[in-house]
Amino acid sequence: MPRVFAFHVSPSLPARLKCLNDLSLNLRWSWHHPTIELFRGIDPDLWEQTGHNPRLMLGRINQRQLTELAADEAFLAQMDRCADSLKEYLGGRGWFTGAHPEAAGLSIAYFSAEFGMTECIATYAGGLGLLAGDHLKSASDLGLPLTGVGLLYQGGYFRQYLNADGWQQETYPVNDFHTLPIQPVEDARSEPLLVQVEFPGRLVFARVWKVQVGRIPLYMLDTNVPQNSVEDRRITGALYGGDRELRIQQEIILGIGGMRALRALGVKPTVCHMNEGHSAFLSLERARNLMEELKLPYFEARQLGAAGNVFTTHTPVAAGFDRFDTWLMEKYFRDYCGTLGLSFDHLMGIGRQNHNDGNEPFNMAYLAARLSAYTNGVSRLHGEVTRKMAQPMWPGYPLAEVPIGYVTNGIHARTWTSMEMSALLSRYLGPRWADDPMDSSVWERIDRIPDQELWRVHQLRRVRLVHYARTRLAAQIRQRGGSAKEIAQADGVLSPDWLTIGFARRFATYKRATLLLYDIERFKRILLNPKQPVQMVFAGKAHPHDNDGKELIRQILHFARDPEVRSHVVFLENYDISVARYLVQGVDVWLNTPRRPNEASGTSGMKLLPNGGLNLSILDGWWDEGYRRDAGWAIGNGEDYSDANYQDQVESRALYNLLESEVAPLFYDCDEQNMPRGWIAKMKVSMKKLTPVFNTNRMVAQYAEEFYIPAHERHLRLAEDHCRRVYPLVEWRKRLRSGGSGVKVTLVTPEHPGEAVVGAKLKVEARVALGTVRPGDVRVQLYYGNVDEAGQIISGHSAEMTLQRVDGTEEIYSGEVECSDSGSCGYTVRIIPYNSDAILPYELPFIVWAE
């Protein structure tokens, strides 16, 4: 092979158009409709051909067009308005500074394996990535001091196409980063900034790139650099590609390499937020950095680092967490343990449910949870599911006291609201619907919008969806070598006037994409009802190794080719942000049919809310808390089933019944002006009541107030005065761990009336043996409440007991049980850990009950 001298060619813009460069490099354009229209207006065809990539478009447009634009006064005026708007936006403070002046000095690092911000940067696979992208956008709008950290994949996630039989095929196009709205980061010598991470017998280098997301910088690491071997250059080759060894390599680069990139950039986070467990190795690197910077021993550094870590899990099943076998962990971490002063067995214990089970693999979720101060799920129901999964980490604690919270996900309203709906909302609600979407008082103005105008905008977006689907379907048929007749038929699919239902998501079996096919003949009757026709648009990818998911796609495609329903059912290939945008802005109903409770949150249905679409869903994920009868439909009543086949039978029938008796009749029930007043009323309630709740501005503000600021303050408190609080905190943990087995409740002396009345107080005395544990290390509590048929306390309450005296080697405590409820009641005594500098019971899963 000849030696190639590579170089990069950048767009050559006339001086008057130079600000197009700045506009293209800040992803604020992706949620600012005037800037999108500015770029689209330059060359609409080229805008589509480049995948909505302004950098690539500016590089491909011919010089003559640029010269003409530089002389076009109307274009220049629009460009200047966009440039002024960006400048004003970047100079603004946002909500955070005014709301929380006490949090000066807060610096958040937000780590995620995927980020979905715009379709032209393919660093996302699905909901996790889109959530991360929306998180950054809202952090920018709110003015949070946040920095994103991720991986820049050479091939991104795969592109999907279907063969003649409907079987999913994958391609992995190679990205040219120099044609994307991404900038290389340089060091002080104007050389590419590289960080290095120790791998077995070698160093692996990663180049740092920057994506500017409004006010937020996102730094992404890329191992495809000349300093690496061919194999190591492929570490960031594809998102979720390869085997377990490639996965651990990616997660080492993300977590350890990401922390080193921040250090090289001079960014010193006080809070590190792990979006899923992929980046959990950062907790080890953060401890190592603190050992080096503050000369701390490992356990003190771990304590200080964990105080500022936050872990969000999106996984509703234990099998979904990344796990690594002992041999793989030993290969990559035995030497690293030496830098921490830890034994390898100790490190493995952090990542195991049972610290001492040598057969248990290393679980990234356990690592993240144990080395964080806060852990949360992503919806109320998911919080409950996560507490059940995590309960073994806090043995002895009632489920309600397992310290796992939740922050329900949201969507970035500006990004997902159509241009037409945005204009309508601005006209009647004012600009604050987008500037402050969590203000419910603004959304109450929805009632000001005339029904005719709201319906006209919604109809327009349905028309655009139909046109888009026809064009895309024709291209799909052409690509797989379909006949001219098939291509011509694509122009007749769907109708701009029919009730349109969308179903688009990852094709995992638990999402039950084919639930509607349970009774095909009944489904056909619903679709083909001559008075109330229904049409479906499907989209979604199956994981490349998930043949069961691919089979679901094949079944849907075969059904869609049935001549009877061909004009009513379409499957759109290669589901991405662009496809999602057309769907959520154009469908009337969003269908979601997961097997409860396996949907952690499910943000796709939220994207309909500001666009006026309605949700029809199983009561799972966010819909379990968002559903209201006047704003959408629920399939079932939140039942849990042990028989999956029976569940499918029951819930498919419930779905058919809803479509036949409620959804379609309401859509087609029009007045003399051909307006479906009942449907529009439901649209308005959904927009008014749900949009201000299920958006990422509310979500990010909640993270800030419930997690970021407390974690930041605790980290600073432990670090102040040469970390003087850390040492006694670590010693306290050691005392309880070493002496906890000797802590016992030896005798409970109750006042036992047999019967009591509501409002009565029962006095209780308890003798406890603490052994080597100090009285100040623990709290002795009464735990009381109603009891079930087995005599166990349900929904218990706790009350502190007071140390009265010491009797030899035992302490005597007393307290009172308040009889606040009638019925069968009971109480017991327990001992729990206590330290004013600890988050309990999160940091120390210790509890002793009276026996």
Side-chain angles (χ1 to χ4, degrees), residues 244 251 274-281 283 310-324 329 348-353 360-372 374-376 382 386 389-390 393-394 404 842:
R244 303 308 300 166
E251 298 187 0
M274 295 170 256
N275 188 43
E276 249 325 329
H278 308 112
S279 61
F281 291 135
S283 59
V310 177
F311 169 45
T312 296
T313 173
H314 300 251
T315 306
V317 291
F321 296 122
D322 273 345
R323 303 178 188 191
F324 299 116
M329 284 294 297
M348 288 300 295
I350 301 174
R352 289 169 171 158
Q353 179 179 312
E360 190 179 336
F362 188 90
N363 188 313
M364 294 294 280
Y366 291 148
L367 172 66
R370 287 191 173 120
L371 297 191
S372 296
Y374 303 93
T375 293
N376 70 280
H382 182 235
T386 304
M389 286 196 295
M393 294 178 65
W394 286 271
I404 306 290
Y842 193 90

Short mmCIF file of all heavy atoms in Angstrom, two decimals, residues 244 251 274-281 283 310-324 329 348-353 360-372 374-376 382 386 389-390 393-394 404 842:
data_model
loop_
_atom_site.label_atom_id
_atom_site.label_comp_id
_atom_site.label_asym_id
_atom_site.label_seq_id
_atom_site.Cartn_x
_atom_site.Cartn_y
_atom_site.Cartn_z
N ARG A 244 -17.78 -9.48 24.76
CA ARG A 244 -17.68 -8.91 26.10
C ARG A 244 -16.35 -8.20 26.32
O ARG A 244 -16.27 -7.22 27.05
CB ARG A 244 -17.83 -10.02 27.15
CG ARG A 244 -19.12 -10.81 27.07
CD ARG A 244 -20.33 -9.91 27.06
NE ARG A 244 -20.44 -9.08 28.25
CZ ARG A 244 -21.26 -8.03 28.35
NH1 ARG A 244 -22.00 -7.66 27.33
NH2 ARG A 244 -21.32 -7.33 29.47
N GLU A 251 -15.92 0.47 27.96
CA GLU A 251 -16.33 1.06 29.23
C GLU A 251 -15.14 1.55 30.04
O GLU A 251 -15.28 2.49 30.84
CB GLU A 251 -17.20 0.06 29.99
CG GLU A 251 -18.47 -0.25 29.20
CD GLU A 251 -19.49 -1.10 29.92
OE1 GLU A 251 -19.24 -1.50 31.09
OE2 GLU A 251 -20.55 -1.37 29.32
N MET A 274 -23.52 9.20 36.37
CA MET A 274 -23.41 8.04 35.49
C MET A 274 -24.79 7.71 34.93
O MET A 274 -25.67 7.25 35.66
CB MET A 274 -22.86 6.83 36.26
CG MET A 274 -21.44 7.01 36.75
SD MET A 274 -20.96 5.69 37.90
CE MET A 274 -21.05 6.55 39.47
N ASN A 275 -24.98 7.95 33.64
CA ASN A 275 -26.25 7.61 32.99
C ASN A 275 -26.16 6.15 32.54
O ASN A 275 -25.65 5.84 31.48
CB ASN A 275 -26.49 8.53 31.79
CG ASN A 275 -27.86 8.35 31.18
OD1 ASN A 275 -28.85 8.24 31.90
ND2 ASN A 275 -27.94 8.32 29.86
N GLU A 276 -26.68 5.24 33.35
CA GLU A 276 -26.49 3.80 33.26
C GLU A 276 -25.09 3.42 33.74
O GLU A 276 -24.23 4.26 33.96
CB GLU A 276 -26.76 3.25 31.87
CG GLU A 276 -28.00 2.37 31.71
CD GLU A 276 -28.38 1.47 32.88
OE1 GLU A 276 -27.51 1.00 33.63
OE2 GLU A 276 -29.58 1.22 33.05
N GLY A 277 -24.88 2.13 33.89
CA GLY A 277 -23.65 1.63 34.51
C GLY A 277 -22.45 1.54 33.60
O GLY A 277 -21.36 1.18 34.06
N HIS A 278 -22.61 1.88 32.30
CA HIS A 278 -21.49 1.72 31.36
C HIS A 278 -20.24 2.50 31.78
O HIS A 278 -19.12 2.09 31.49
CB HIS A 278 -21.90 2.18 29.96
CG HIS A 278 -23.17 1.55 29.46
ND1 HIS A 278 -24.34 2.27 29.27
CD2 HIS A 278 -23.46 0.27 29.14
CE1 HIS A 278 -25.28 1.46 28.83
NE2 HIS A 278 -24.78 0.23 28.75
N SER A 279 -20.44 3.63 32.45
CA SER A 279 -19.31 4.50 32.79
C SER A 279 -18.84 4.31 34.23
O SER A 279 -18.05 5.12 34.73
CB SER A 279 -19.69 5.97 32.58
OG SER A 279 -20.78 6.33 33.42
N ALA A 280 -19.28 3.24 34.91
CA ALA A 280 -19.06 3.12 36.35
C ALA A 280 -17.59 3.06 36.75
O ALA A 280 -17.24 3.36 37.89
CB ALA A 280 -19.80 1.90 36.90
N PHE A 281 -16.69 2.67 35.83
CA PHE A 281 -15.28 2.64 36.19
C PHE A 281 -14.74 4.03 36.53
O PHE A 281 -13.67 4.16 37.13
CB PHE A 281 -14.45 2.04 35.05
CG PHE A 281 -14.68 0.56 34.84
CD1 PHE A 281 -14.86 0.04 33.57
CD2 PHE A 281 -14.72 -0.32 35.91
CE1 PHE A 281 -15.07 -1.32 33.35
CE2 PHE A 281 -14.93 -1.69 35.72
CZ PHE A 281 -15.11 -2.19 34.43
N SER A 283 -15.77 5.82 38.81
CA SER A 283 -15.73 5.95 40.27
C SER A 283 -14.39 5.49 40.82
O SER A 283 -13.90 6.04 41.82
CB SER A 283 -16.87 5.14 40.89
OG SER A 283 -16.77 3.77 40.53
N VAL A 310 -23.49 10.27 41.27
CA VAL A 310 -24.91 9.97 41.09
C VAL A 310 -25.03 8.89 40.02
O VAL A 310 -24.36 8.95 38.99
CB VAL A 310 -25.69 11.23 40.64
CG1 VAL A 310 -27.16 10.90 40.37
CG2 VAL A 310 -25.55 12.35 41.66
N PHE A 311 -25.88 7.89 40.28
CA PHE A 311 -26.06 6.78 39.34
C PHE A 311 -27.53 6.66 38.97
O PHE A 311 -28.38 6.52 39.84
CB PHE A 311 -25.57 5.47 39.98
CG PHE A 311 -25.93 4.21 39.23
CD1 PHE A 311 -25.76 4.12 37.86
CD2 PHE A 311 -26.44 3.11 39.91
CE1 PHE A 311 -26.10 2.96 37.17
CE2 PHE A 311 -26.77 1.94 39.24
CZ PHE A 311 -26.60 1.87 37.86
N THR A 312 -27.80 6.75 37.67
CA THR A 312 -29.16 6.55 37.16
C THR A 312 -29.21 5.26 36.38
O THR A 312 -28.43 5.07 35.44
CB THR A 312 -29.58 7.72 36.25
OG1 THR A 312 -29.64 8.92 37.02
CG2 THR A 312 -30.95 7.46 35.64
N THR A 313 -30.12 4.37 36.76
CA THR A 313 -30.29 3.13 36.02
C THR A 313 -31.57 3.18 35.20
O THR A 313 -32.60 3.68 35.66
CB THR A 313 -30.33 1.90 36.96
OG1 THR A 313 -30.65 0.74 36.19
CG2 THR A 313 -31.34 2.07 38.07
N HIS A 314 -31.49 2.70 33.97
CA HIS A 314 -32.65 2.64 33.07
C HIS A 314 -33.08 1.19 32.86
O HIS A 314 -33.90 0.92 31.98
CB HIS A 314 -32.30 3.24 31.71
CG HIS A 314 -31.89 4.67 31.75
ND1 HIS A 314 -32.68 5.71 31.28
CD2 HIS A 314 -30.76 5.27 32.21
CE1 HIS A 314 -32.06 6.86 31.44
NE2 HIS A 314 -30.89 6.62 32.01
N THR A 315 -32.52 0.27 33.61
CA THR A 315 -32.71 -1.16 33.34
C THR A 315 -33.75 -1.76 34.29
O THR A 315 -33.58 -1.69 35.50
CB THR A 315 -31.37 -1.90 33.51
OG1 THR A 315 -30.39 -1.27 32.69
CG2 THR A 315 -31.50 -3.35 33.11
N PRO A 316 -34.83 -2.34 33.75
CA PRO A 316 -35.88 -2.90 34.60
C PRO A 316 -35.70 -4.37 34.96
O PRO A 316 -36.47 -4.91 35.73
CB PRO A 316 -37.14 -2.70 33.76
CG PRO A 316 -36.66 -2.81 32.35
CD PRO A 316 -35.23 -2.31 32.33
N VAL A 317 -34.69 -5.03 34.37
CA VAL A 317 -34.44 -6.44 34.68
C VAL A 317 -32.96 -6.62 35.01
O VAL A 317 -32.09 -6.01 34.39
CB VAL A 317 -34.83 -7.36 33.50
CG1 VAL A 317 -36.34 -7.38 33.32
CG2 VAL A 317 -34.17 -6.94 32.21
N ALA A 318 -32.69 -7.47 35.99
CA ALA A 318 -31.31 -7.65 36.46
C ALA A 318 -30.39 -8.13 35.34
O ALA A 318 -29.21 -7.76 35.30
CB ALA A 318 -31.29 -8.63 37.63
N ALA A 319 -30.93 -8.92 34.41
CA ALA A 319 -30.09 -9.46 33.32
C ALA A 319 -29.63 -8.37 32.37
O ALA A 319 -28.73 -8.59 31.55
CB ALA A 319 -30.88 -10.51 32.55
N GLY A 320 -30.22 -7.18 32.46
CA GLY A 320 -29.85 -6.10 31.54
C GLY A 320 -28.58 -5.37 31.92
O GLY A 320 -28.07 -4.58 31.13
N PHE A 321 -28.05 -5.60 33.13
CA PHE A 321 -26.83 -4.91 33.55
C PHE A 321 -25.60 -5.58 32.94
O PHE A 321 -25.57 -6.81 32.76
CB PHE A 321 -26.70 -4.92 35.08
CG PHE A 321 -27.79 -4.15 35.78
CD1 PHE A 321 -28.60 -4.77 36.72
CD2 PHE A 321 -28.01 -2.82 35.50
CE1 PHE A 321 -29.60 -4.08 37.37
CE2 PHE A 321 -29.02 -2.10 36.16
CZ PHE A 321 -29.81 -2.74 37.09
N ASP A 322 -24.61 -4.78 32.62
CA ASP A 322 -23.36 -5.33 32.09
C ASP A 322 -22.64 -6.11 33.19
O ASP A 322 -22.45 -5.62 34.31
CB ASP A 322 -22.45 -4.20 31.61
CG ASP A 322 -22.75 -3.82 30.17
OD1 ASP A 322 -23.44 -4.60 29.49
OD2 ASP A 322 -22.31 -2.75 29.73
N ARG A 323 -22.19 -7.33 32.84
CA ARG A 323 -21.46 -8.18 33.78
C ARG A 323 -20.22 -8.71 33.09
O ARG A 323 -20.24 -9.01 31.89
CB ARG A 323 -22.33 -9.37 34.22
CG ARG A 323 -23.65 -8.96 34.85
CD ARG A 323 -24.47 -10.17 35.21
NE ARG A 323 -25.80 -9.81 35.64
CZ ARG A 323 -26.66 -10.64 36.21
NH1 ARG A 323 -26.30 -11.89 36.44
NH2 ARG A 323 -27.86 -10.24 36.56
N PHE A 324 -19.15 -8.83 33.86
CA PHE A 324 -17.89 -9.30 33.30
C PHE A 324 -17.34 -10.44 34.16
O PHE A 324 -17.32 -10.34 35.39
CB PHE A 324 -16.87 -8.15 33.23
CG PHE A 324 -17.33 -7.01 32.35
CD1 PHE A 324 -17.57 -5.75 32.88
CD2 PHE A 324 -17.52 -7.21 30.99
CE1 PHE A 324 -17.99 -4.71 32.08
CE2 PHE A 324 -17.94 -6.17 30.17
CZ PHE A 324 -18.18 -4.92 30.72
N MET A 329 -12.05 -9.36 34.13
CA MET A 329 -11.72 -8.29 35.07
C MET A 329 -10.27 -8.38 35.51
O MET A 329 -9.57 -7.35 35.61
CB MET A 329 -12.64 -8.37 36.29
CG MET A 329 -14.05 -7.88 36.04
SD MET A 329 -14.13 -6.11 35.68
CE MET A 329 -13.54 -5.42 37.23
N MET A 348 -13.31 -7.07 43.14
CA MET A 348 -14.37 -7.93 42.64
C MET A 348 -15.57 -7.93 43.60
O MET A 348 -16.73 -7.98 43.17
CB MET A 348 -13.86 -9.36 42.46
CG MET A 348 -12.92 -9.54 41.28
SD MET A 348 -13.67 -9.13 39.68
CE MET A 348 -14.96 -10.39 39.57
N GLY A 349 -15.30 -7.85 44.90
CA GLY A 349 -16.39 -7.84 45.87
C GLY A 349 -17.29 -6.63 45.72
O GLY A 349 -18.50 -6.70 45.99
N ILE A 350 -16.72 -5.49 45.30
CA ILE A 350 -17.54 -4.29 45.11
C ILE A 350 -18.59 -4.51 44.03
O ILE A 350 -19.70 -3.99 44.09
CB ILE A 350 -16.66 -3.08 44.75
CG1 ILE A 350 -15.62 -2.81 45.86
CG2 ILE A 350 -17.50 -1.83 44.53
CD1 ILE A 350 -14.62 -1.73 45.50
N GLY A 351 -18.23 -5.32 43.03
CA GLY A 351 -19.13 -5.54 41.91
C GLY A 351 -19.96 -6.81 42.02
O GLY A 351 -20.51 -7.27 41.01
N ARG A 352 -20.06 -7.38 43.22
CA ARG A 352 -20.86 -8.59 43.41
C ARG A 352 -21.95 -8.34 44.45
O ARG A 352 -21.74 -7.59 45.40
CB ARG A 352 -19.98 -9.75 43.88
CG ARG A 352 -19.05 -10.30 42.81
CD ARG A 352 -18.03 -11.26 43.40
NE ARG A 352 -17.27 -11.96 42.37
CZ ARG A 352 -16.09 -12.52 42.55
NH1 ARG A 352 -15.51 -12.45 43.76
NH2 ARG A 352 -15.47 -13.13 41.56
N GLN A 353 -23.07 -8.99 44.26
CA GLN A 353 -24.11 -8.92 45.28
C GLN A 353 -23.61 -9.53 46.57
O GLN A 353 -23.73 -8.94 47.65
CB GLN A 353 -25.37 -9.64 44.79
CG GLN A 353 -26.50 -9.64 45.82
CD GLN A 353 -27.72 -10.34 45.30
OE1 GLN A 353 -28.16 -10.11 44.19
NE2 GLN A 353 -28.27 -11.25 46.10
N GLU A 360 -19.51 -15.41 41.21
CA GLU A 360 -20.40 -14.36 40.71
C GLU A 360 -19.62 -13.40 39.82
O GLU A 360 -18.53 -12.95 40.18
CB GLU A 360 -21.00 -13.61 41.91
CG GLU A 360 -22.12 -12.65 41.53
CD GLU A 360 -22.70 -11.95 42.75
OE1 GLU A 360 -22.60 -12.50 43.87
OE2 GLU A 360 -23.25 -10.85 42.58
N PRO A 361 -20.14 -13.03 38.64
CA PRO A 361 -19.44 -12.08 37.78
C PRO A 361 -19.49 -10.67 38.36
O PRO A 361 -20.23 -10.38 39.30
CB PRO A 361 -20.20 -12.16 36.46
CG PRO A 361 -21.58 -12.60 36.84
CD PRO A 361 -21.40 -13.51 38.03
N PHE A 362 -18.68 -9.81 37.80
CA PHE A 362 -18.61 -8.42 38.23
C PHE A 362 -19.74 -7.65 37.56
O PHE A 362 -19.87 -7.64 36.33
CB PHE A 362 -17.26 -7.83 37.83
CG PHE A 362 -16.99 -6.45 38.38
CD1 PHE A 362 -16.37 -6.29 39.60
CD2 PHE A 362 -17.35 -5.32 37.66
CE1 PHE A 362 -16.11 -5.02 40.11
CE2 PHE A 362 -17.10 -4.05 38.15
CZ PHE A 362 -16.49 -3.90 39.38
N ASN A 363 -20.55 -6.98 38.36
CA ASN A 363 -21.74 -6.29 37.87
C ASN A 363 -21.51 -4.78 37.92
O ASN A 363 -21.26 -4.22 38.98
CB ASN A 363 -22.95 -6.67 38.74
CG ASN A 363 -24.26 -6.17 38.19
OD1 ASN A 363 -24.38 -5.02 37.81
ND2 ASN A 363 -25.27 -7.04 38.17
N MET A 364 -21.61 -4.13 36.78
CA MET A 364 -21.34 -2.68 36.71
C MET A 364 -22.35 -1.87 37.51
O MET A 364 -22.03 -0.79 38.02
CB MET A 364 -21.32 -2.22 35.26
CG MET A 364 -20.17 -2.80 34.44
SD MET A 364 -18.55 -2.21 34.99
CE MET A 364 -18.51 -0.58 34.22
N ALA A 365 -23.58 -2.38 37.64
CA ALA A 365 -24.58 -1.65 38.41
C ALA A 365 -24.23 -1.66 39.90
O ALA A 365 -24.43 -0.66 40.60
CB ALA A 365 -25.96 -2.27 38.19
N TYR A 366 -23.72 -2.79 40.39
CA TYR A 366 -23.30 -2.82 41.79
C TYR A 366 -22.14 -1.86 42.04
O TYR A 366 -22.10 -1.17 43.06
CB TYR A 366 -22.90 -4.24 42.19
CG TYR A 366 -24.04 -5.23 42.25
CD1 TYR A 366 -23.84 -6.57 41.93
CD2 TYR A 366 -25.31 -4.83 42.63
CE1 TYR A 366 -24.90 -7.48 41.98
CE2 TYR A 366 -26.37 -5.73 42.69
CZ TYR A 366 -26.16 -7.05 42.36
OH TYR A 366 -27.18 -7.94 42.42
N LEU A 367 -21.19 -1.84 41.12
CA LEU A 367 -20.07 -0.90 41.26
C LEU A 367 -20.58 0.53 41.31
O LEU A 367 -20.19 1.32 42.18
CB LEU A 367 -19.10 -1.07 40.09
CG LEU A 367 -17.97 -0.03 40.00
CD1 LEU A 367 -17.01 -0.16 41.18
CD2 LEU A 367 -17.21 -0.17 38.68
N ALA A 368 -21.47 0.88 40.37
CA ALA A 368 -21.98 2.25 40.31
C ALA A 368 -22.76 2.60 41.57
O ALA A 368 -22.59 3.69 42.13
CB ALA A 368 -22.86 2.41 39.07
N ALA A 369 -23.62 1.68 42.03
CA ALA A 369 -24.44 1.97 43.20
C ALA A 369 -23.61 2.08 44.47
O ALA A 369 -23.86 2.95 45.31
CB ALA A 369 -25.52 0.89 43.36
N ARG A 370 -22.62 1.20 44.63
CA ARG A 370 -21.84 1.20 45.87
C ARG A 370 -20.87 2.37 45.94
O ARG A 370 -20.46 2.77 47.03
CB ARG A 370 -21.09 -0.12 46.00
CG ARG A 370 -22.03 -1.28 46.35
CD ARG A 370 -21.27 -2.53 46.74
NE ARG A 370 -22.18 -3.56 47.24
CZ ARG A 370 -22.34 -4.75 46.69
NH1 ARG A 370 -21.61 -5.10 45.64
NH2 ARG A 370 -23.19 -5.62 47.21
N LEU A 371 -20.49 2.93 44.80
CA LEU A 371 -19.56 4.05 44.81
C LEU A 371 -20.26 5.34 44.40
O LEU A 371 -19.65 6.22 43.78
CB LEU A 371 -18.37 3.76 43.90
CG LEU A 371 -17.50 2.57 44.31
CD1 LEU A 371 -16.21 2.54 43.50
CD2 LEU A 371 -17.17 2.61 45.80
N SER A 372 -21.54 5.45 44.74
CA SER A 372 -22.30 6.68 44.51
C SER A 372 -23.02 7.06 45.78
O SER A 372 -23.27 6.23 46.65
CB SER A 372 -23.33 6.48 43.38
OG SER A 372 -22.71 6.21 42.15
N TYR A 374 -26.04 8.63 45.47
CA TYR A 374 -27.45 8.59 45.11
C TYR A 374 -27.65 7.65 43.93
O TYR A 374 -26.84 7.63 42.99
CB TYR A 374 -27.95 9.98 44.72
CG TYR A 374 -27.75 11.04 45.79
CD1 TYR A 374 -26.61 11.83 45.80
CD2 TYR A 374 -28.70 11.24 46.78
CE1 TYR A 374 -26.41 12.79 46.78
CE2 TYR A 374 -28.51 12.19 47.77
CZ TYR A 374 -27.37 12.97 47.76
OH TYR A 374 -27.18 13.91 48.73
N THR A 375 -28.75 6.89 43.96
CA THR A 375 -29.14 6.03 42.85
C THR A 375 -30.62 6.24 42.59
O THR A 375 -31.41 6.36 43.53
CB THR A 375 -28.86 4.55 43.15
OG1 THR A 375 -27.46 4.33 43.23
CG2 THR A 375 -29.44 3.64 42.07
N ASN A 376 -30.99 6.27 41.32
CA ASN A 376 -32.40 6.48 41.00
C ASN A 376 -32.82 5.72 39.76
O ASN A 376 -32.01 5.42 38.88
CB ASN A 376 -32.70 7.97 40.80
CG ASN A 376 -32.09 8.54 39.53
OD1 ASN A 376 -30.91 8.86 39.50
ND2 ASN A 376 -32.89 8.68 38.49
N HIS A 382 -40.66 2.33 37.81
CA HIS A 382 -39.31 1.78 37.69
C HIS A 382 -38.55 1.92 39.00
O HIS A 382 -37.72 1.06 39.34
CB HIS A 382 -38.56 2.47 36.55
CG HIS A 382 -37.19 1.93 36.34
ND1 HIS A 382 -36.06 2.72 36.34
CD2 HIS A 382 -36.74 0.66 36.13
CE1 HIS A 382 -34.99 1.97 36.14
NE2 HIS A 382 -35.37 0.73 36.00
N THR A 386 -36.82 -1.17 40.70
CA THR A 386 -35.39 -1.12 41.03
C THR A 386 -35.16 -1.40 42.51
O THR A 386 -34.20 -2.07 42.88
CB THR A 386 -34.81 0.25 40.65
OG1 THR A 386 -35.06 0.50 39.26
CG2 THR A 386 -33.31 0.30 40.89
N MET A 389 -35.20 -5.07 42.90
CA MET A 389 -33.96 -5.69 42.41
C MET A 389 -32.81 -5.42 43.36
O MET A 389 -31.94 -6.27 43.55
CB MET A 389 -33.62 -5.14 41.02
CG MET A 389 -34.48 -5.65 39.90
SD MET A 389 -33.74 -5.32 38.28
CE MET A 389 -33.77 -3.53 38.22
N ALA A 390 -32.79 -4.22 43.96
CA ALA A 390 -31.65 -3.82 44.78
C ALA A 390 -31.77 -4.25 46.24
O ALA A 390 -30.81 -4.12 46.99
CB ALA A 390 -31.48 -2.29 44.72
N MET A 393 -29.03 -5.83 48.32
CA MET A 393 -27.88 -5.03 48.72
C MET A 393 -28.09 -4.38 50.09
O MET A 393 -27.14 -3.93 50.72
CB MET A 393 -27.60 -3.93 47.68
CG MET A 393 -27.16 -4.46 46.33
SD MET A 393 -26.89 -3.13 45.13
CE MET A 393 -25.49 -2.26 45.86
N TRP A 394 -29.35 -4.34 50.56
CA TRP A 394 -29.67 -3.80 51.89
C TRP A 394 -30.45 -4.86 52.65
O TRP A 394 -31.62 -4.67 52.99
CB TRP A 394 -30.48 -2.50 51.76
CG TRP A 394 -29.65 -1.35 51.32
CD1 TRP A 394 -28.95 -0.48 52.11
CD2 TRP A 394 -29.40 -0.94 49.97
NE1 TRP A 394 -28.28 0.44 51.34
CE2 TRP A 394 -28.54 0.20 50.02
CE3 TRP A 394 -29.81 -1.39 48.73
CZ2 TRP A 394 -28.10 0.84 48.88
CZ3 TRP A 394 -29.37 -0.75 47.58
CH2 TRP A 394 -28.52 0.36 47.67
N ILE A 404 -33.46 3.79 47.08
CA ILE A 404 -33.42 4.04 45.64
C ILE A 404 -34.58 4.97 45.32
O ILE A 404 -35.74 4.62 45.57
CB ILE A 404 -33.55 2.74 44.82
CG1 ILE A 404 -32.50 1.72 45.24
CG2 ILE A 404 -33.47 3.04 43.33
CD1 ILE A 404 -31.10 2.05 44.85
N TYR A 842 -28.09 4.31 52.65
CA TYR A 842 -27.45 4.08 51.36
C TYR A 842 -26.01 3.60 51.50
O TYR A 842 -25.58 2.66 50.85
CB TYR A 842 -27.49 5.37 50.52
CG TYR A 842 -27.14 5.12 49.07
CD1 TYR A 842 -28.12 4.81 48.14
CD2 TYR A 842 -25.82 5.15 48.65
CE1 TYR A 842 -27.80 4.54 46.84
CE2 TYR A 842 -25.49 4.88 47.34
CZ TYR A 842 -26.48 4.58 46.44
OH TYR A 842 -26.15 4.31 45.15
#
